[in-house]
Amino acid sequence: MSDISPLRTGTSLLARYEYEDADGFFLPELPRLLPVAYHPKAAQIEFRSNSWVRRFLAGCFADEEDLLKLLRERVGLYAPLIAPTADEQRVLDLADFYHFVGLIDNLAADHTGLGASHLGARDVFDGIMADFGAGTETAMGDNSPFGRAARDLWRRISPGLTRRQIQRFRSSLSSFLQGVTNELPYQLSGSVPDYDTYLTMRLDSFGCDFMLLLTEYALAIDITGPAASPQFVDMHAHALRQLILVNDLLSLRKEQGDPMNAVRVLCCHCGLTLQQAVDTVCELVGIHERAYIAARDAVRHGPFGTRADVRTYLVGLDHLLAGSQEYEYLTPRYFGDGSVWDGSTSGWISLTAPIARFLPRTGHGNGASAVQRFQHPHRKEMKS
């Protein structure tokens, strides 16, 4: 897979203060070449998933206001956006699962609690892994606020997975939890990894493997075999980079000071200003989105393209990418508690306002190709 990668450097804090002192940035329009759709029962699924959070995860919150703040982030709408054509019950299963892993990510970001120590987090995560796969009568996780929720999810999801998919699910969840753990030393110290180290950890901590697997689950298919082919590996590599980089841009306001963001990495290791780094990541999103579409079409017109399950999966993968981006525009998680999306997808974003929205800004221009400002003299071939 061909990729753009900045110069290799060691961990550095260069340009850190320039990044942190900036008042805001201009987000250019992203390509959005894939179709966005909402499940016809999106509202009902969101409400039912909110109820599940209250029933199973209320013990994870300090008080009612903390719980309500999470619900206002509308995580329950994520699954109806990434699986808009799937069976309603399976979409609800996804909505509850993404509430579950999203809460883990939130708590790991609390460096006075779960995120205070990577060893302590690892102990909690080991318990979560034990609960996925435990029988409904097993009391293994009764002392964990996540235990009952994990067992309920497993009871509902596992019957819809093949034996091969069950193995992939456990492996993907373990990779996610390990990725979250691996990021903690960087977050606790404030050190910024180089681009390659960042991307390796981010592919795990973003939950990339289970996102692909749950796309299969939502559509009631198993493409474990084709997924191992070079054609699928290349397609997935571009798809996952698009997912991660879009998220890095749209979550940037919330993640000020977080070293695990591509914009931050480029500021620190390539000497770019905040705006130059944003422009560069935007260009990379376009590169990967177009490369994904080309790789997807190659699969569709190749030997696997005659299979109905593969063709169904390719449509599902389009919805995963487009739906994730739609959700990230609309959630108050990234723009301030109380924000309401007006459909804008480009503009000036304040890093200091309590609630931000996309504002017009005159006089902004990207100039020469942003990618060229940090590109290594030789394009690097990265193996996915």
Side-chain angles (χ1 to χ4, degrees), residues 80-371:
L81 276 164
I82 64 171
T85 64
D87 171 78
E88 181 180 352
Q89 181 56 52
R90 292 200 177 208
V91 180
L92 179 61
D93 296 341
L94 263 62
D96 294 347
F97 179 82
Y98 281 114
H99 257 132
F100 179 84
V101 296
L103 180 57
I104 291 173
D105 188 57
N106 284 355
L107 294 176
D110 178 4
H111 298 153
T112 65
L114 180 62
S117 162
H118 72 282
L119 295 177
R122 185 70 258 175
D123 288 342
V124 173
F125 295 161
D126 286 344
I128 290 172
M129 284 303 303
D131 287 314
F132 275 98
T136 56
E137 302 302 319
T138 303
M140 186 179 305
D142 283 349
N143 293 327
S144 164
F146 301 107
R148 202 161 60 94
R151 292 197 302 278
D152 180 68
L153 288 168
W154 189 241
R155 173 188 61 80
R156 291 155 53 190
I157 293 174
S158 60
L161 300 174
T162 66
R163 185 167 58 182
R164 295 185 302 179
Q165 287 176 315
I166 287 174
Q167 293 173 343
R168 288 170 56 200
F169 180 89
R170 291 188 60 81
S171 175
S172 67
L173 184 59
S174 179
S175 295
F176 163 69
L177 296 173
Q178 186 61 54
V180 172
T181 304
N182 290 342
E183 287 186 357
L184 283 177
Y186 290 93
Q187 292 169 338
L188 291 170
S189 68
S191 60
V192 181
D194 62 51
Y195 187 83
D196 295 335
T197 302
Y198 152 80
L199 188 57
T200 297
M201 287 192 290
R202 194 85 163 105
L203 287 166
D204 287 335
S205 67
F206 201 71
C208 290
D209 288 343
F210 65 61
M211 294 176 81
L212 297 177
L213 175 62
L214 290 177
T215 298
E216 296 175 41
Y217 170 78
L219 300 170
I221 56 176
D222 178 2
I223 60 157
T224 302
S229 69
Q231 296 90 341
F232 270 74
V233 169
D234 185 52
M235 175 179 69
H236 285 154
H238 288 295
L240 296 175
R241 283 157 177 77
Q242 190 268 11
L243 277 171
I244 289 171
L245 295 174
V246 167
N247 177 263
D248 281 358
L249 289 166
L250 295 178
S251 68
L252 180 59
R253 179 185 177 277
K254 174 182 179 291
E255 295 177 354
Q256 294 179 66
D258 190 332
M260 302 308 296
N261 185 293
V263 173
R264 181 73 177 279
V265 170
L266 298 187
C267 286
C268 290
H269 290 280
C270 299
L272 302 186
T273 66
L274 171 61
Q275 187 61 57
Q276 287 172 336
V278 166
D279 292 345
T280 297
V281 175
C282 287
E283 288 195 28
L284 288 171
V285 167
I287 289 170
H288 286 298
E289 189 162 324
R290 291 179 176 87
Y292 158 73
I293 291 171
R296 178 206 65 193
D297 289 346
V299 170
R300 180 172 287 147
H301 299 299
F304 291 116
T306 59
R307 291 177 43 164
D309 57 347
V310 167
R311 298 182 75 84
T312 297
Y313 176 74
L314 297 180
V315 174
L317 201 54
D318 281 359
H319 286 308
L320 173 63
L321 271 62
S324 292
Q325 187 168 343
E326 179 86 351
Y327 171 77
E328 288 160 5
Y329 282 123
L330 68 83
T331 177
R333 176 181 179 84
Y334 299 141
F335 301 102
D337 189 21
S339 69
V340 178
W341 189 39
D342 63 4
S344 302
T345 53
S346 174
W348 176 261
I349 293 291
S350 170
L351 293 174
T352 57
I355 298 175
R357 65 183 180 88
F358 294 106
L359 297 171
R361 184 192 183 204
T362 59
H364 174 79
N366 291 340
S369 169
V371 170

